[in-house]
Amino acid sequence: MTTIGLIGSGHIGSTVAQLAVDAGYDVVLSNRRGPDTLTELVDRLGPRARAATPVEAAEAADIAVVTVPLKALSDVPVEPLRGKVVIDTNNYYPQRDGQVARLDDESTTTSELTQEHLPESHVVKAFNNIYFKHLGTLQRPTGDPERSVLAIAGDHDDAKRTVTEVLDALGYDAYDVGPLSEGWRYQRDTAAYAGLYIDPETGDVDAPPRQVTADLLREKLDAAQRYRDM
């Protein structure tokens, strides 16, 4: 049985964990505050879930999900993630993370920074452009006509195939945007960011979300603008 290890267990991490448990995966959750703070979440997720330290979660993971604020990226354990597929959910918020010159001048992207931090891991960018409540309600079985897509980007084809299989099990199709350098197309404030899944008729983030098809996602990705051009 594949184990998904989560480095970070906030809104996105806990939602991914719920989807993974529902799909039959084992999950190991962690955060910077310690396993004892995850007792309630683990109890809710059931017997397929357990809490651990970030190092232990990384060691246990067949596939890891790094879902911590960008400012905490340096705390993500490196050695136990060597050779593993790592799904990166990160976004850059300067007011939270502090100014990062290479992101400000757009010479790199958040997931490329994650790949630099984890040089022998296989990083795939995913889950960063969808509100956690939408992520937890839009899942549909394979082949369902109301299924939505999620964008992925990565420099390793095998890793992207693995993540595509995970997304399929969790209830989503994957749309391959290309290498990590193309991840800017669905970063914060772009047309393909989280607002994409908000129903345009309500405009309410807490209302039921809309289905996002491959065609709609492609349209928004093509419309992406660099920050300097906004």
Side-chain angles (χ1 to χ4, degrees):
M1 177 57 62
T2 300
T3 296
I4 296 181
L6 292 113
I7 315 301
S9 300
H11 289 316
I12 288 292
S14 59
T15 302
V16 171
Q18 182 68 69
L19 293 173
V21 165
D22 291 345
Y25 291 102
D26 291 331
V27 299
V28 182
L29 299 114
S30 69
N31 63 19
R32 61 181 175 80
R33 294 175 294 143
D36 290 347
T37 65
L38 296 168
T39 300
E40 183 177 344
L41 175 58
V42 168
D43 288 345
R44 174 165 58 82
L45 291 171
R48 289 193 177 277
R50 66 180 176 91
T53 66
V55 169
E56 291 167 340
E59 289 172 342
D62 297 305
I63 300 166
V65 180
V66 170
T67 179
V68 298
L70 181 65
K71 64 182 179 180
L73 179 60
S74 61
D75 295 330
V76 174
V78 176
E79 184 62 35
L81 293 175
R82 291 185 190 278
K84 296 182 179 181
V85 174
V86 175
I87 300 173
D88 176 44
T89 78
N90 224 317
N91 289 299
Y92 172 44
Y93 289 95
Q95 66 271 31
R96 178 195 67 187
D97 302 315
Q99 300 296 145
V100 180
R102 294 170 62 201
L103 296 177
D104 290 339
D105 68 15
E106 300 185 270
S107 60
T108 193
T109 63
T110 55
S111 290
E112 287 176 289
L113 291 180
T114 302
Q115 184 66 82
E116 288 179 14
H117 178 67
L118 302 170
E120 295 185 38
S121 301
H122 308 303
V123 174
V124 177
K125 183 182 184 70
F127 297 127
N128 72 292
N129 69 323
I130 184 168
Y131 183 44
F132 75 97
K133 289 183 179 180
H134 298 169
L135 178 63
T137 56
L138 275 172
Q139 69 273 24
R140 299 290 187 277
T142 304
D144 191 302
E146 294 186 356
R147 206 178 216 217
S148 286
V149 298
L150 293 175
I152 66 171
D155 296 337
H156 306 273
D157 288 341
D158 287 346
K160 286 193 285 188
R161 279 191 287 271
T162 296
V163 173
T164 296
E165 292 171 0
V166 172
L167 292 184
D168 179 48
L170 269 53
Y172 292 90
D173 291 333
Y175 185 94
D176 188 350
V177 180
L180 288 177
S181 60
E182 286 294 284
W184 72 271
R185 292 185 177 276
Y186 54 107
Q187 66 189 4
R188 185 199 79 240
D189 295 337
T190 59
Y193 195 55
L196 175 62
Y197 294 87
I198 297 175
D199 186 337
E201 292 187 4
T202 67
D204 182 358
V205 69
D206 291 315
R210 70 168 168 179
Q211 177 190 17
V212 172
T213 64
D215 287 343
L216 177 58
L217 178 58
R218 184 183 306 111
E219 174 190 329
K220 299 302 183 180
L221 291 166
D222 289 345
Q225 290 182 295
R226 294 284 191 176
Y227 293 140
R228 58 180 173 267
D229 297 325
M230 290 181 178

